Amino acid sequence: MEQNSRASAETGQNHSHRLLFLVCLWLALGCICTGLAIQNERVPGVFYDEAVLAGLAKDFVTGQSHGAHFLGSKTVEVLGRPFPVFVQAYVGAVEPWMLIPSFAVFGPSMGVWRLTILSWNLLGLLLFIFWADRLGGPWIAAIAAVLLALDPSFFFIGVLDWGLAVPSLVCRFGGFFLFLVAWQSNRKLLSFVAGILFGLGFFNKVDFAVILAGTTLAAILAYRRQLLSVVRSRVKILFLASLGFFLVIAPSVARLPKVLRFGVSRESSGRMVELSEKLHTTWTMYDGSYFYRLMAAGGRFSEMYKERSPVWTLFAGALLLASLVILGNILNHPKDSERPLQIFSFLAAVFISVGIIFLPGAVRLHHSTLVYPFPQLIVAAAVATLWRQWSGLTNWVWIARGVIAVVFLALVISDVRAIRHTQEFIRDTGGRGGWSEALTRFAEQVKKQPDLTIVSLDWGFNEQLLFLTDKPRLQEPIWTMSPYDVASLPKDPSYIYLVHTPEYQWFPIGYQFMRQVALKDPRAVVQTWNDRQGHEVFYTIRFIQ
């Protein structure tokens, strides 16, 4: 009895030490990420796709809106306020729900908004650490967590989330962790909660199906022996997880036909162009240059890959070498206890990457990062494998392990360097094009003027102004306006028209209005708004009496 009690106490103490180590690691990474992210509280400016998420949350908190949101958004009345349900036909309003509590307590502002997104991302990181610890142990969890937290793509989408990536990360990490705990301990309620989180991930954006399909298939192939031995005793776990999932996605099922029609239309047009962009996106995600390129191009995705980026990391090379190490270990050490984890991580990364390639329209970073955290787990598993296998080198063991440590340190330094260089570019420019803080400066001047009507004659103004202003009436007629309608636009002093420069325009109507109407009317006053380096971003047009 005493021996059993002593063993139980030691096990409990080891678990406490392990938990303390992982939590301290997370706190350290959280402090580093927060310290870096503070610089992006106000710069760059707000991107259109980023703003619609915060704008819907703001409307609910304030109880009103002074303009119409993006086509396809849907709200229902809750307590007399417009509660967001859908952002678009295939996008549920999970991220606006994440923002509502912070906006209600601290008020809707850029700082509150971006720090709230960062906080959710760090919560996702903590859930990932707990999941990876149960999957592969504390050291694999620690190595993978450092690589994930300081990955430039993961870091920047955790602050400037224009693609609903953070809800996806939180839902999958939380779902992975709770489902694994439920499976290992046969705790049925946790499996139901895990199913709800997976459902929220799918409701957030239907591309979550690629994650679910890829990880499920990889788990079946990697852990088939373990699964077969206990699957009969876990039927209720699977049922409750499925129940939670389908209960949550039920509201979005009715919209699936629209999503499928959208996918078919994307599939039938420009497939090779789309494939090329997907490959570019994947590569720049792994080499850490995606966000620098995005900022340098001012949100013009077609321009991102035309020039070489001065920002890069070592992760792409590290992932390639780690994959070779993992494959070699899988083939040569069939009895290795770490082999199932290695197979799972590698296959999940492959299946999800292939799924992204075949998913119509999945061309941006928030699609490519669906594969996270499996690339980081591959590198962590390779480091652990080499560390363990090289322990038999006797006199050379410390040199071998020193090489591993130096390479890992170099990898981390390259990640931080890429983040810092990207932030320096953002600070110097204030953001370019669609990310420019020039629009924030304009919004500061007009946000309290109820007598103004601001008309966006291009994509890239309206959603930002819905969030950044409170009183002006906002209009975005570009979705229904024809080129012949520009001459009939009111030339009233209470109207301000917004037009992008040709470099950043999406719709030609705005610039056509400026050239054919405004520049020929002596009453028109055209003001140019520049970024911090003096580059023209957009024009405001106002007619005086």
Side-chain angles (χ1 to χ4, degrees), residues 432-452:
R432 281 187 179 167
W435 291 92
S436 178
E437 48 92 47
L439 187 61
T440 308
R441 286 187 271 115
F442 168 74
E444 287 290 328
Q445 293 186 9
V446 302
K447 67 179 182 180
K448 299 294 185 182
Q449 299 183 34
D451 56 328
L452 280 181

Side-chain angles (χ1 to χ4, degrees), residues 79-235:
L79 302 176
R81 302 180 179 206
F83 184 77
V85 180
F86 286 97
V87 179
Q88 290 178 260
Y90 58 98
V91 175
V94 178
E95 188 158 322
W97 301 343
M98 291 177 163
L99 294 170
I100 285 172
S102 295
F103 284 0
V105 175
F106 302 106
S109 68
M110 281 184 66
V112 171
W113 166 16
R114 286 182 170 167
L115 291 179
T116 299
I117 293 300
L118 173 66
S119 299
W120 279 106
N121 205 45
L122 292 177
L123 174 62
L125 178 66
L126 179 63
L127 293 169
F128 164 70
I129 290 173
F130 288 157
W131 174 64
D133 173 45
R134 280 184 169 261
L135 202 63
W139 287 109
I140 285 182
I143 294 168
V146 172
L147 294 176
L148 184 64
L150 299 178
D151 179 90
S153 297
F154 180 85
F155 171 81
F156 281 112
I157 61 176
V159 184
L160 314 171
D161 187 16
W162 53 276
L164 300 112
V166 169
S168 178
L169 289 164
V170 173
C171 288
R172 66 178 176 267
F173 293 158
F176 288 161
F177 171 60
L178 293 180
F179 186 79
L180 183 59
V181 173
W183 185 270
Q184 291 176 339
S185 59
N186 203 19
R187 298 170 68 179
K188 300 174 182 61
L189 180 60
L190 288 184
S191 70
F192 181 70
V193 178
I196 289 174
L197 287 173
F198 288 141
L200 285 172
F202 184 88
F203 180 73
N204 173 66
K205 208 167 185 181
V206 294
D207 59 9
F208 199 83
V210 174
I211 301 171
L212 294 177
T215 53
T216 300
L217 184 56
I220 291 172
L221 294 175
Y223 296 101
R224 58 188 179 278
R225 292 179 181 175
Q226 296 93 322
L227 292 174
L228 288 172
S229 64
V230 295
V231 70
R232 290 184 179 179
S233 63
R234 300 293 190 271
V235 172

